[in-house]
């Protein structure tokens, strides 16, 4: 588990949404409060977010984008090929980051140990130090509210920001309709 961030992804009935806070920390010091840890990939058809080292994450995003292009945007085939390459390369395995990627059909958590995890419910995933807070809030809000997908993600991240010292309230959201 990586400190210093919270990323939450939600695949609802109408939209796929990813959100992240903006806090970057080094140890117990806040270095930056308005970082962007989420982005669109493959012509805006895929959403992605990262937890961990920023430089490592950019390396991984660029590499993953290459697999998406090679696999013509097929998210499932891309995450499998990407995980194999990440796990097998001795330099890439040293990178300190995790990723969430999703489209309207799939949502995956990816790690350098070769993990490709599709959440059991298939609709909510979170990474980072505030991930457990955000996913708990999202599951409760999904069950007991009528919030839109983007409102659900934003409110869940605000709740995580209230609880996790490595998560702030500078929240960014991206969505696919």
């Amino acid at each position: 588990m990586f400190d210093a961030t919270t990323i939450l992804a939600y695949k609802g009935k109408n939209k796929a949404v990813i959100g992240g806070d903006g806090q970057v920390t080094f140890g117990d010091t806040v270095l930056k409060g308005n970082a962007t840890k989420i982005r669109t990939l493959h012509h805006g058809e895929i959403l992605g977010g990262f937890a961990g080292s920023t430089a490592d994450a950019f390396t991984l995003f660029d590499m993953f984008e290459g697999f998406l292009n090679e696999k013509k945007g097929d998210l499932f085939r891309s995450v499998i090929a990407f995980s194999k390459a990440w796990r097998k390369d001795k330099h890439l395995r040293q990178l300190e980051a995790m990723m969430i990627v999703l489209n309207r059909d799939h949502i995956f958590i990816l790690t350098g140990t070769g993990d490709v995890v599709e959440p059991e419910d298939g609709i909510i995933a979170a990474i980072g130090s505030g991930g457990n807070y955000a996913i708990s809030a999202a599951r409760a809000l999904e069950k007991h509210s009528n919030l839109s997908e983007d409102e659900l993600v934003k409110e869940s991240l605000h709740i995580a920001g209230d609880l996790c010292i490595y998560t702030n309230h500078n929240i960014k959201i991206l969505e696919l309709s």
Side-chain angles (χ1 to χ4, degrees):
M1 180 84 62
F2 292 98
D3 291 337
T5 201
T6 302
I7 303 295
L8 177 67
Y10 177 62
K11 193 168 57 78
K13 291 181 179 96
N14 302 310
K15 298 181 213 174
V17 179
I18 193 165
D21 74 313
Q23 187 162 298
V24 175
T25 60
F26 183 74
D28 58 2
T29 304
V30 176
L31 294 179
K32 185 174 182 175
N34 64 346
T36 301
K37 303 171 195 171
I38 58 173
R39 67 197 289 192
T40 59
L41 302 163
H42 195 69
H43 316 295
E45 299 169 5
I46 310 286
L47 301 175
F50 72 89
S53 165
T54 305
D56 291 352
F58 288 130
T59 298
L60 294 169
F61 271 139
D62 289 344
M63 183 179 156
F64 185 65
E65 185 85 47
F67 282 101
L68 283 169
N69 290 333
E70 180 184 307
K71 305 293 183 191
K72 298 179 179 34
D74 184 319
L75 183 59
F76 182 76
R77 291 178 53 222
S78 297
V79 297
I80 299 301
F82 173 73
S83 286
K84 286 179 184 177
W86 190 1
R87 184 186 74 240
K88 288 179 181 178
D89 187 289
K90 70 178 184 172
H91 298 293
L92 291 176
R93 274 195 318 260
Q94 303 305 314
L95 299 182
E96 296 181 2
M98 292 178 73
M99 295 173 59
I100 291 180
V101 293
L102 73 152
N103 61 13
R104 292 290 293 130
D105 300 317
H106 298 285
I107 183 169
F108 298 103
I109 297 172
L110 309 172
T111 73
T113 58
D115 295 323
V116 176
V117 179
E118 190 164 21
E120 185 175 336
D121 64 7
I123 59 171
I124 304 173
I127 57 174
S129 56
N132 288 335
Y133 303 116
I135 201 167
S136 296
R139 286 181 177 154
L141 290 170
E142 191 216 10
K143 187 174 183 179
H144 299 290
S145 77
N146 292 316
L147 295 174
S148 68
E149 288 90 342
D150 51 329
E151 291 171 326
L152 184 142
V153 169
K154 188 173 185 175
E155 187 58 33
S156 298
L157 288 168
H158 273 289
I159 291 168
D162 289 341
L163 300 170
C164 178
I165 63 170
Y166 296 106
T167 303
N168 69 12
H169 292 98
N170 189 347
I171 294 166
K172 293 178 177 57
I173 304 282
L174 295 173
E175 59 186 62
L176 298 173
S177 295

